[in-house]
Amino acid sequence: MPYPAVDPEIQHLLDTADTGVFPVYGLDDVLADPQRYALLRDLPETPTDERVKVEDRYIPGPGGQLRLRLYRPVTDAILPVILYLHGGAYTYGSPEAEEGRSLQYAAEAEAVVVSVDYRLAPEHPFPAATDDAYAALEWAAEHAAEIGADPQRIAVAGGRA
């Protein structure tokens, strides 16, 4: 599967950004190998937490059906919402790849976590991922009562995205 050329300014960033805080070396090798790329998308073993119920919802999104992975503590309380954008620089990753973090946020922050399975570049260039995130934010606010959440208490968080 051929990948589009990287913009020269972005390539310069990728070439010079290995600061130890944000190492990006080797990304070309990973993207060029479909098996390695698939490993970035899914984790074979996802963690569980009996304190949190997990479910997938599908909503209309700007590019078609958009999957949201919901993490809700087992309680009848009305909870705040954390809209979570998984890491992967908008090019790889999935809600399942950060399942542990979402479970932890839900259980320890006592919040409904809405993790967005946004469209990934390069197949879906900017602003696809941010459009999906915004659609998920609107959905969470409009459907808060449906998921036992307070539409007045929504936070947005992300993992490197």
Side-chain angles (χ1 to χ4, degrees), residues 79-106:
L79 302 174
V81 175
I82 300 172
L83 181 73
Y84 187 73
L85 306 177
H86 65 79
Y90 300 118
T91 61
Y92 64 91
S94 67
E96 291 81 4
E98 295 193 31
E99 187 105 333
R101 185 180 315 253
S102 294
L103 288 167
Q104 181 180 13
Y105 284 173

Side-chain angles (χ1 to χ4, degrees), residues 19 24 31-32 44 46-47 59 79 114 132 140:
T19 64
V24 294
L31 293 176
T46 54
I59 66 168
L79 302 174
V114 177
D132 289 350

Side-chain angles (χ1 to χ4, degrees), residues 66-91:
L66 177 62
R67 184 173 69 102
L68 306 177
R69 193 154 176 90
L70 305 181
Y71 303 82
R72 183 173 179 20
V74 179
T75 178
D76 292 330
I78 302 301
L79 302 174
V81 175
I82 300 172
L83 181 73
Y84 187 73
L85 306 177
H86 65 79
Y90 300 118
T91 61

Side-chain angles (χ1 to χ4, degrees), residues 26-78:
L27 187 58
D28 288 339
D29 292 339
V30 172
L31 293 176
D33 180 343
Q35 289 179 329
R36 289 177 71 192
Y37 183 75
L39 290 175
L40 293 173
R41 179 92 178 123
D42 298 310
L43 284 178
E45 296 179 23
T46 54
T48 60
D49 187 324
E50 69 275 352
R51 300 172 296 170
V52 178
K53 180 183 178 212
V54 180
E55 81 173 276
D56 287 335
R57 293 273 180 108
Y58 294 87
I59 66 168
Q65 196 171 46
L66 177 62
R67 184 173 69 102
L68 306 177
R69 193 154 176 90
L70 305 181
Y71 303 82
R72 183 173 179 20
V74 179
T75 178
D76 292 330
I78 302 301

Side-chain angles (χ1 to χ4, degrees), residues 10-19 24:
I10 299 298
Q11 187 62 53
H12 176 72
L13 173 67
L14 293 171
D15 292 341
T16 61
D18 188 9
T19 64
V24 294

